[in-house]
Amino acid sequence: MTGLMKAVASGKPREKAGARTMARYGFQVHASILKMLDLHRSGADYRAVFDHFDDLMVFDKADKPEKVDFYQIKSQDKGEWTLKAMVANKGKGKPATFLGRLHHHMATFGQMVSRLVFVSNLSFKLKLADGTETTPDHHLVRSTDLHPDAVAALKKAVDNDAAKPPAAYGCDRFVFERTPLGLAEQDKFVKGCLLDFFHERGGAENIPVISLYETLQGNVLAKTGVTQEFTTEAEFYERKTLCRADIEDMFARATGGRRFAESWLTIRADLAAAGMNTIDVVRLQNSCLRYIRGRSAGESGATAFNAACQDAIVGHPTEIEACTTLPEIAARLKGWVSSDYEHRHGALYVEAFEAIK
């Protein structure tokens, strides 16, 4: 376990009040998805942690991380963010300000903190080193870009808001970021960003963007709502985080589900040739679609069945290659994979289809 993970395990996350709902936390969830897309596009390794020590944490590595960025994500319907507004008291006790709470992470994580990021849909009005002020066109401002007077005011504010002086100061780590995400029609904006993302990767016509959006949104919201304490690093990763490999897996499942649906006419002909009647074909199709939705959404039963099938397929390449029809592969998988998953019948055919190279 790295020093960072020891700090995560021993530190006290912020208090959480009540269950997370999309109505209340929609902006935070959508902004987190956009940040993951940015990280993914850059090619960086990462692991995102949702609503734990802060709205969003991002580790520099999926495994054995050494550095972390903290994000506070705030939305408002009008105005602009000044330094005075970001260091105004928002509660009793210390820290009680937005930037004071961000800087408080220095007490637990010290030099392992790379950035302390304040994210909002609004623009910032901050004094720059050359004496001018930022405009709405400034989408990313670092504390190192600020005028010495502004830096001194920032340091004084976080000092006054600290319960005790941190082991290391982080005023040089502050970043003020304006997200393009607005308050209205957030889902449409994120879907558009997903489509742009896949245009850049190539093959956007094969991606069911709505399904993928629902999968990402559902995963992030579910992980945001988990408030339990964790006894192992593996449990923490599973319940509260997503990494690059997790997102790639979602992309692969979304693509696989689409290919299956597009090939259904061919599959149906294969089933009819094997003697399956129309009623059974329809029931099988419904079971297949239900499995694809469950797998894309990360449902535990579907993902466990998928993992078991992948192990079986990898372990029996010669037997798979010898099959000449989809029902043959499904029958072999049925014998190799022991499971009481409720949509097992359809799941076998989906996995059999994807086993064909």
Side-chain angles (χ1 to χ4, degrees):
M1 184 181 290
T2 63
L4 175 55
M5 291 311 298
K6 288 178 181 177
V8 170
S10 61
K12 180 175 171 43
R14 65 185 186 179
E15 296 294 329
K16 301 179 180 69
R20 270 48 183 163
T21 64
M22 179 52 71
R24 187 177 177 189
Y25 289 91
F27 188 85
Q28 179 179 320
V29 167
H30 287 125
S32 296
I33 291 172
L34 293 181
K35 181 56 60 179
M36 282 194 297
L37 286 179
D38 286 343
L39 290 165
H40 216 86
R41 183 181 285 110
S42 73
D45 192 13
Y46 66 89
R47 184 175 292 277
V49 187
F50 306 99
D51 204 53
H52 195 50
F53 282 85
D54 222 311
D55 295 333
L56 178 67
M57 297 168 63
V58 176
F59 296 156
D60 64 334
K61 302 173 186 174
D63 296 303
K64 298 182 180 179
E66 298 174 351
K67 295 287 186 178
V68 60
D69 293 342
F70 289 93
Y71 294 81
Q72 258 189 48
I73 302 170
K74 304 298 177 189
S75 61
Q76 290 190 168
D77 57 358
K78 60 182 179 180
E80 57 190 1
W81 287 107
T82 62
L83 184 58
K84 182 179 179 180
M86 289 185 284
V87 297
N89 283 345
K90 298 297 179 182
K92 297 179 180 179
K94 293 183 177 182
T97 71
F98 292 145
L99 299 191
R101 290 168 184 165
L102 259 177
H103 194 267
H104 179 69
H105 299 309
M106 297 301 299
T108 302
F109 296 92
Q111 296 299 339
M112 292 178 286
V113 176
S114 294
R115 302 195 307 162
L116 301 168
V117 190
F118 186 90
V119 180
S120 180
N121 60 307
L122 297 183
S123 60
F124 295 90
K125 188 176 182 180
L126 301 168
K127 189 175 181 181
L128 296 171
D130 63 2
T132 63
E133 286 189 336
T134 56
T135 71
D137 291 331
H138 288 84
H139 291 274
L140 190 74
V141 182
R142 297 174 178 83
S143 55
T144 52
D145 299 327
L146 300 180
H147 192 277
D149 291 347
V151 175
L154 173 59
K155 185 177 184 301
K156 181 180 179 181
V158 297
D159 281 348
N160 291 338
D161 197 28
K164 61 180 181 180
Y169 276 103
C171 288
D172 60 336
R173 293 167 171 80
F174 277 108
V175 178
F176 307 95
E177 180 178 330
R178 185 182 185 187
T179 175
L181 180 67
L183 297 185
E185 298 186 325
Q186 294 174 32
D187 58 334
K188 290 184 179 179
F189 183 83
V190 175
K191 289 170 189 173
C193 290
L194 277 170
L195 190 60
D196 290 342
F197 178 85
F198 280 102
H199 273 303
E200 294 171 13
R201 284 170 61 111
E205 69 280 356
N206 294 320
I207 300 297
V209 171
I210 294 175
S211 175
L212 183 54
Y213 161 77
E214 290 174 349
T215 299
L216 274 169
Q217 179 249 49
N219 269 269
V220 174
L221 181 61
K223 292 173 187 293
T224 296
V226 174
T227 60
Q228 71 182 70
E229 294 185 4
F230 302 98
T231 57
T232 67
E233 188 174 305
E235 184 184 28
F236 171 67
Y237 281 176
E238 174 67 24
R239 299 297 307 280
K240 286 295 287 182
T241 80
L242 289 172
C243 67
R244 168 175 284 278
D246 296 327
I247 301 302
E248 279 295 338
D249 187 51
M250 289 183 197
F251 295 161
R253 291 201 302 264
T255 306
R258 179 61 172 266
R259 286 195 305 111
F260 182 87
E262 291 175 343
S263 302
W264 178 249
L265 288 177
T266 302
I267 295 168
R268 186 172 64 183
D270 209 12
L271 299 174
M276 191 175 292
N277 63 48
T278 302
I279 296 298
D280 287 339
V281 168
V282 171
R283 286 172 177 161
L284 175 61
Q285 183 184 25
N286 290 337
S287 180
C288 290
L289 294 175
R290 180 61 184 83
Y291 172 66
I292 289 170
R293 289 196 299 270
R295 191 181 62 174
S296 295
E299 292 178 2
S300 58
T303 55
F305 191 86
N306 171 245
C309 282
Q310 292 305 306
D311 288 343
I313 291 166
V314 170
H316 300 84
T318 304
E319 294 93 326
I320 296 276
E321 189 67 27
C323 295
T324 58
T325 67
L326 197 64
E328 282 184 74
I329 302 175
R332 288 190 177 272
L333 282 176
K334 184 178 181 180
W336 295 330
V337 178
S338 176
S339 171
D340 58 358
Y341 174 58
E342 69 174 309
H343 303 293
R344 183 169 184 257
H345 188 43
L348 289 168
Y349 278 84
V350 174
E351 296 294 342
F353 172 80
E354 293 178 4
I356 300 171
K357 304 301 182 185

